Amino acid sequence: MSTTTAMPLLHFLAPPLPYFIEADHRRYEAGQLHPSRANRGTFDLLYIRQGELTIEEDGTVWTLGPGQIVLLRPDRAHRGYKGCPEETVFDWIHFQTPGVWEECRGGAAATLHGDHYLYTIRLPKHMKLTRPEEADRLLDALRQAGGSPIAESFWQCQKLFLQLLQLIEQEWRAAAAPTAVNVAERAAAYLKRNYQQQVTNKSLGEELGLHPNYIARCMLEVYGSTPQQYLLHYRVDQAKLMLIKTDWTIARIAAETGFKQTPHFSRTFSEQSGYPPLQYRKKYAST
């Protein structure tokens, strides 16, 4: 059974990072209906500052009030479900990603897993921000940056947009992030800090104050690997760098990356990289 929350989440594997396209600030009179859109090819982030906006996407309806956001997909139709009951002020942002993404609903486990170098950005489909003043500031600055010279505008808009995504993810983590994500990330950080040491499931459990089996379930859900599998992959990645950047012996590299025995290191390295350590060095090290 998945330990993730039932809140719908959009997962973006990064890098590459989602990128900003355009934004605007809108005001609707009472009774005005948000227009219909279908398969625009861009994500649509709506943020309400004042009033109330009701949006439908694929049969799901959200009624948004001040400080609330909704994230609409690029491959679905959405429309105003009913007219605004009062004057409504909101911002919209169109963005896209060249990377892989998915939406997970109903507590379904994600299939996108970060690793030592890739990060999974998790954005809630809908939530109310606890720091709307920070969102206001970023959106105001985003609109102002759009009027700058092209080069300056590009860098400013991308930076501010990513800060906004970071704010949204931070708020989700603080309010509703599933325990599995927090546990898995804490475990991964500890394994990366201590990859040169002998880390057992028991010692990892003692460090986190949790049962080893629970930690393993969380890491499988978030990273697609157990703690020991994650640790082995990270050790091999570090060994690759040492093979290329140093002239150390295979025995020393094995010891430096936490392997007790050189044959075990060589066998594991070959299985993961497709080359024995010395052959890998000859292939990729500069001469």
Side-chain angles (χ1 to χ4, degrees):
M1 182 176 180
S2 172
T3 54
T4 56
T5 177
M7 177 188 298
L9 291 173
L10 288 169
H11 294 223
F12 298 82
L13 203 58
L17 291 164
Y19 60 90
F20 171 84
I21 297 176
E22 59 182 342
D24 203 357
H25 183 75
R26 290 291 172 86
R27 183 182 302 271
Y28 285 170
E29 301 298 329
Q32 190 169 350
L33 187 70
H34 190 71
S36 298
R37 299 283 187 267
N39 303 316
R40 288 182 58 94
T42 62
F43 293 92
D44 199 346
L45 175 62
L46 303 181
Y47 169 73
I48 312 304
R49 299 203 188 208
Q50 173 190 322
E52 183 179 292
L53 185 66
T54 304
I55 295 289
E56 178 192 7
E57 180 192 66
D58 244 13
T60 301
V61 178
W62 296 274
T63 297
L64 310 171
Q68 294 191 15
I69 64 163
V70 67
L71 184 53
L72 304 170
R73 294 171 53 140
D75 56 348
R76 295 286 189 272
H78 66 263
R79 66 183 181 93
Y81 187 74
K82 62 180 180 179
C84 298
E86 58 185 296
E87 183 181 61
T88 298
V89 180
F90 67 100
D91 294 87
W92 58 258
I93 293 178
H94 291 160
F95 71 94
Q96 189 50 279
T97 177
V100 184
W101 67 277
E102 67 180 358
E103 180 179 349
C104 295
R105 289 176 171 266
T111 62
L112 296 183
H113 301 294
D115 56 24
H116 318 126
Y117 311 108
L118 293 175
Y119 177 70
T120 304
I121 301 172
R122 297 174 174 88
L123 300 178
K125 188 79 174 175
H126 165 243
M127 76 174 298
K128 181 177 176 63
L129 301 180
T130 62
R131 292 181 287 166
E133 67 286 345
E134 181 65 12
D136 290 351
R137 182 189 68 79
L138 288 170
L139 286 161
D140 288 343
L142 193 58
R143 288 202 316 278
Q144 287 184 337
S148 303
I150 292 176
E152 181 182 344
S153 173
F154 171 80
W155 292 111
Q156 282 292 101
C157 286
Q158 299 304 327
K159 180 176 72 173
L160 291 164
F161 168 66
L162 291 176
Q163 288 176 356
L164 180 63
L165 294 190
Q166 183 181 11
L167 170 67
I168 294 170
E169 189 186 45
Q170 286 175 343
E171 293 239 347
W172 168 74
R173 284 176 175 275
T179 303
V181 174
N182 293 328
V183 170
E185 290 183 349
R186 285 171 57 204
Y190 180 79
L191 293 171
K192 290 169 73 172
R193 288 197 307 270
N194 296 277
Y195 77 94
Q196 295 175 303
Q197 313 303 319
Q198 296 306 310
V199 182
T200 64
N201 289 337
K202 181 181 178 181
S203 64
L204 179 62
E206 291 171 349
E207 174 67 25
L208 270 62
L210 297 167
H211 195 284
N213 289 345
Y214 178 65
I215 297 172
R217 288 201 304 273
C218 292
M219 290 204 71
L220 274 170
E221 183 174 328
V222 175
Y223 292 109
S225 62
T226 67
Q228 293 305 316
Q229 289 169 338
Y230 186 96
L231 181 59
L232 279 179
H233 280 287
Y234 190 70
R235 283 172 169 168
V236 168
D237 280 348
Q238 296 306 303
K240 289 177 180 178
L241 295 176
M242 294 178 189
L243 283 166
I244 294 172
K245 295 182 177 180
T246 74
D247 58 359
W248 293 348
T249 64
I250 301 304
R252 179 174 178 182
I253 291 176
E256 291 284 344
T257 51
F259 287 90
K260 288 183 178 180
Q261 298 177 338
T262 304
H264 180 217
F265 163 71
S266 296
R267 184 169 60 253
T268 302
F269 188 94
S270 298
E271 290 172 353
Q272 291 193 23
S273 70
Y275 300 96
L278 283 178
Q279 188 175 341
Y280 185 91
R281 172 177 275 168
K282 289 177 181 178
K283 183 175 178 65
Y284 294 107
S286 58
T287 57

